Amino acid sequence: SKVEFGDSGNASIGKIEYIHSGDYLYFKVNDTECMRISSSGVLLHGTTTTSGLSNGTSNYGFSFSAGGQVVSATNK
């Protein structure tokens, strides 16, 4: 199931979306995901996965884990 919170006049401008099957809370602007929080408490900004952040293979993004670890990668 999916629950959305947004501008009733134009939800594509900005909204918060929760999809039970994905186990994430999504934050979207212009209908593009810009941040998510996982059920384990990991905050992802500018990326949709932690894969590639710790070894530098991701183009860009930030990950903030529930354990206090902060990881970032930029496209050089």
Side-chain angles (χ1 to χ4, degrees), residues 9-69:
N10 189 348
S12 66
I13 290 175
K15 66 181 169 183
I16 300 170
E17 181 177 282
Y18 171 74
I19 302 175
H20 180 70
S21 62
D23 220 12
Y24 290 96
L25 182 62
Y26 303 89
F27 295 82
K28 294 184 174 185
V29 176
N30 291 324
D31 217 24
T32 300
E33 182 181 331
C34 58
M35 187 172 67
R36 72 169 59 178
I37 301 172
S38 73
S39 62
S40 61
V42 175
L43 172 67
L44 300 167
H45 182 269
T47 185
T48 58
T49 178
T50 59
S51 176
L53 287 177
S54 61
N55 62 17
T57 60
S58 178
N59 286 335
Y60 59 88
F62 298 93
S63 169
F64 304 89
S65 75
Q69 181 181 14

